[in-house]
């Protein structure tokens, strides 16, 4: 599989897992589950999920990085990761959580993020 596709797919998987690690506890609360659980238990559960996130993120960075023969500079990898993170978060937030919706200002913010991706990949050597 192409390194570009592999990197992006691994970043998507990583961000799906990390979104649930960060925000899953809020969904549990929304479902009236674990409201009496101590904060340390919630943190440990999130860390457990984050371990799986690293199983996707580290290979994505290794495969995608020019340092290892991949197609992306470190700056490009980070910008891609942030764009993927926001897209994944938006999809999960608007489909899994009650009361969350995509508004015009969010769309403007995403357009600006896409502009950031464009500028990160712009060839400045000319």
């Amino acid at each position: 599989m192409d390194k570009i596709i592999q990197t992006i797919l691994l970043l998507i998987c990583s961000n799906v897992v990390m979104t649930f690690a960060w925000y899953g506890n809020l969904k549990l609360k929304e479902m009236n589950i674990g409201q009496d659980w101590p904060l340390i238990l919630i943190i440990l559960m999130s860390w457990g999920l984050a371990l799986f996130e690293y199983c996707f993120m580290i290979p994505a960075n290794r495969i995608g990085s020019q340092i290892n023969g991949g197609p992306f500079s470190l700056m490009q990898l980070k910008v891609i990761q942030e764009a993927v993170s926001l897209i994944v978060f938006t999809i999960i937030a608007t489909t899994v959580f009650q009361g969350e919706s995509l508004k015009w200002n969010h769309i403007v913010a995403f357009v600006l993020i896409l502009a950031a991706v464009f500028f990160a990949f712009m060839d400045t050597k000319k």
Side-chain angles (χ1 to χ4, degrees):
M1 188 184 318
D2 183 55
K3 288 184 178 187
I4 292 172
I5 301 296
Q6 258 185 311
T7 300
I8 292 171
L9 288 176
L10 286 166
L11 287 173
I12 290 169
C13 292
S14 165
N15 280 282
V16 167
V17 173
M18 202 61 196
T19 298
F20 282 107
W22 286 347
Y23 301 102
N25 69 88
L26 299 176
K27 183 61 180 175
L28 291 176
K29 188 165 186 139
E30 193 177 80
M31 297 169 56
N32 294 322
I33 298 172
Q35 292 184 7
D36 297 330
W37 295 353
L39 182 58
I40 189 68
L41 178 61
I42 302 296
I43 292 169
L44 291 173
M45 287 173 51
S46 292
W47 276 356
L49 283 173
L51 171 66
F52 293 105
E53 184 265 345
Y54 273 69
C55 292
F56 295 111
M57 179 61 79
I58 301 304
N61 287 331
R62 291 184 66 85
I63 292 166
S65 173
Q66 288 174 345
I67 294 169
N68 286 328
F72 304 117
S73 71
L74 290 178
M75 294 295 182
Q76 291 170 333
L77 267 174
K78 184 59 182 173
V79 170
I80 293 168
Q81 190 280 325
E82 292 299 334
V84 167
S85 177
L86 286 171
I87 291 167
V88 166
F89 172 80
T90 300
I91 291 168
I92 291 173
T94 57
T95 58
V96 174
F97 289 87
Q98 296 174 349
E100 293 295 327
S101 62
L102 191 60
K103 297 179 175 65
W104 71 267
N105 56 319
H106 303 137
I107 294 167
V108 170
F110 288 134
V111 169
L112 293 174
I113 290 166
L114 289 175
V117 172
F118 169 79
F119 284 110
F121 282 86
M122 193 167 70
D123 187 8
T124 60
K125 294 178 185 175
K126 293 180 181 180

